[in-house]
Amino acid sequence: MVKKYFLLQLVLLVLLSSSKNIRAQNQLDSILPVRGFAIAAPPPSYVDSFVTFIEKELAPRHVNTLILRVDYNYQYNSHPELRNAIALSTADVKKIVSACRNNKIRVIPQINLLGHQSWAGKTENLLAKYPEFDETPEVKMPEVYKWPNADSLYCKSYCPLHPKVHGVVFALVDEICDVFEADAFHAGMDEVFYLGSDKCPRCKGKDKAKLFADEVTLIRDHLAGSKRELWIWGDRLLDGWATGIGMWEASHNNTHAAIDMIPKDVMICDWHYERADKTAVYFAMKGFNVATCPWRNPAVSVSQLKDMIAFRYESTKVMKPRFRGMIQTVWSGPSPFITGFYQNAKDPKTGDNTPWNSFRQLFDEINKMK
Ligand SMILES: [Zn+2]
């Protein structure tokens, strides 16, 4: 009898705490619909640790969106030649998908399209296997990468007008969205410096804003065919000269006019790391859904959160729902991040300004609102 009573109490306690949790979730959803976290997908050997991190750290903080940079870290069947040597299996991916589903986290896989086709001295798999897609084949990869350099090489791009490039990349996009059971895809598309090269026989002389917009639209239309949303980073749509935001977080290569040429249902991930730039307002006024994305400065992240809340509170009924929320970005793989997070490690250069401190403080503030 005592045992039965104890069990009943336990069941009631679980029900009560889960309904409390659902109430908190619902309340947060109305204050800040997107509470995101963006990071590289783990290597196969780290999947279990990553799943534990989802369950123990992301879910209790009410993170509800996980953007995972997969790129070539999956055993693609459509193009096995593009797999990394060590890459996630379907079973690995399903472990992540199931952890996210159980915790009501929307997973959005990412493959960098258009730009970021190389990193430092390394050409990424697409251009390594299909060099004919390279927008600037005349630019040779350096032995030792340095910035700045004579070629203004930051990252390689593929040529958006190459007749065969989309046949390859869309096969990867479809496959990764299917395996992640995703209703949205993140195409990256940030920091595209090589675009419309004067030496590219197809792109030469073309309007760079139009080239960028056409590529965004093509990807968006492809995804719409399977009822999926396109998410991109917002920097190419901002005028780096007029705003003083510069060539990284905004555009110095004449792509910003693309903001008036792309479909309004593309979700903008508006990243700013040094200041709480108010560019979310600009995107929302142009009709886009937007989330603000901080990195490693906790004070800036919290300030951006306050702005996002204020934008939602102070906007018209039409604009308010476009201010979607916040996404913590992490530019390492999960292992260094999670290690730094648990060790409360300082960065040798930036001290306490670390992505894990930003994540902790941002989500502490978010969770105070429920
Ligand atoms: Zn081209």
Side-chain angles (χ1 to χ4, degrees):
M1 188 63 190
V2 173
K3 206 171 168 189
K4 230 179 184 174
Y5 180 69
F6 175 73
L7 269 177
L8 189 69
Q9 253 189 338
L10 198 71
V11 168
L12 275 174
L13 206 70
V14 168
L15 280 177
L16 208 69
S17 76
S18 87
S19 78
K20 206 171 147 194
N21 206 31
I22 291 166
R23 257 205 325 274
Q25 188 102 9
N26 289 343
Q27 201 171 340
L28 277 181
D29 286 348
S30 70
I31 300 170
L32 199 69
V34 170
R35 302 178 298 277
F37 187 77
I39 195 164
S45 59
Y46 203 71
V47 167
D48 290 341
S49 306
F50 187 60
V51 163
T52 305
F53 182 76
I54 292 173
E55 290 167 345
K56 298 264 183 274
E57 307 299 342
L58 298 187
R61 286 176 172 80
H62 298 102
V63 169
N64 67 358
T65 306
L66 175 63
I67 298 170
L68 273 186
R69 289 191 302 283
V70 181
D71 289 322
Y72 306 101
N73 176 16
Y74 176 64
Q75 295 175 21
Y76 291 103
N77 290 314
S78 58
H79 287 281
E81 75 282 8
L82 293 176
R83 298 173 179 179
N84 287 345
I86 299 170
L88 295 169
S89 67
T90 304
D92 292 328
V93 170
K94 292 301 180 188
K95 281 187 189 175
I96 298 171
V97 170
S98 147
C100 288
R101 189 193 303 115
N102 293 341
N103 290 288
K104 298 192 168 47
I105 297 172
R106 182 186 191 191
V107 198
I108 302 177
Q110 180 183 335
I111 302 172
N112 279 316
L113 298 185
L114 194 57
H116 275 273
Q117 301 303 324
S118 67
W119 183 251
K122 180 179 176 280
T123 305
E124 296 293 354
N125 301 5
L126 181 73
L127 296 190
K129 295 288 175 186
Y130 295 92
E132 65 272 28
F133 296 162
D134 193 339
E135 176 68 11
T136 54
E138 72 283 359
V139 174
K140 300 297 166 211
M141 296 305 286
E143 291 275 311
V144 180
Y145 179 84
K146 268 195 238 157
W147 179 267
N149 56 70
D151 294 317
S152 297
L153 168 67
Y154 176 56
C155 296
K156 288 264 189 175
S157 304
Y158 66 65
C159 171
L161 299 185
H162 192 287
K164 297 210 168 140
V165 72
H166 297 104
V168 176
V169 297
F170 286 168
L172 303 186
V173 170
D174 292 345
E175 207 180 332
I176 209 69
C177 286
D178 286 346
V179 70
F180 274 93
E181 302 170 30
D183 61 3
F185 168 78
H186 200 305
M189 305 188 83
D190 55 320
E191 301 171 329
V192 183
F193 294 173
Y194 282 168
L195 181 70
S197 163
D198 288 342
K199 293 192 177 143
C200 175
R202 295 167 293 271
C203 299
K204 186 179 168 179
K206 294 226 159 57
D207 175 358
K208 292 182 185 187
K210 177 92 171 46
L211 280 172
F212 186 80
D214 285 351
E215 183 64 8
V216 172
T217 306
L218 194 70
I219 301 166
R220 179 263 172 212
D221 289 351
H222 176 78
L223 290 163
S226 46
K227 295 196 167 37
R228 288 171 173 140
E229 278 174 18
L230 172 61
W231 291 36
I232 61 171
W233 303 115
D235 51 85
R236 287 313 91 189
L237 304 175
L238 298 172
D239 184 341
W241 298 111
T243 57
I245 294 175
M247 64 186 281
W248 305 91
E249 299 183 27
S251 169
H252 275 184
N253 60 333
N254 296 315
T255 55
H256 55 275
I259 197 166
D260 292 318
M261 305 177 194
I262 64 172
K264 301 293 185 192
D265 57 9
V266 175
M267 168 76 181
I268 308 297
C269 298
D270 180 33
W271 60 280
H272 297 289
Y273 297 159
E274 312 299 330
R275 298 162 309 272
D277 293 309
K278 317 300 182 205
T279 42
V281 177
Y282 176 65
F283 286 113
M285 290 184 78
K286 290 281 186 184
F288 294 97
N289 285 341
V290 58
T292 297
C293 306
W295 179 33
R296 67 178 178 187
N297 186 320
V300 171
S301 311
V302 170
S303 174
Q304 287 168 316
L305 170 66
K306 287 181 178 157
D307 281 346
M308 181 54 64
I309 300 296
F311 297 155
R312 284 177 66 78
Y313 186 71
E314 291 162 2
S315 298
T316 61
K317 274 187 188 159
V318 175
M319 293 253 294
K320 177 178 165 166
R322 293 183 195 147
F323 294 104
R324 301 304 294 156
M326 300 290 298
I327 300 167
Q328 170 67 47
T329 60
V330 177
W331 293 104
S332 67
S335 170
F337 177 84
I338 293 172
T339 307
F341 175 80
Y342 284 119
Q343 294 177 349
N344 228 343
K346 283 184 193 290
D347 184 282
K349 284 187 193 146
T350 58
D352 283 325
N353 284 349
T354 56
W356 41 90
N357 273 339
S358 169
F359 167 63
R360 224 186 270 275
Q361 291 187 35
L362 176 67
F363 276 88
D364 281 355
E365 289 300 317
I366 290 174
N367 281 285
K368 278 183 200 164
M369 299 188 294
K370 62 181 192 275

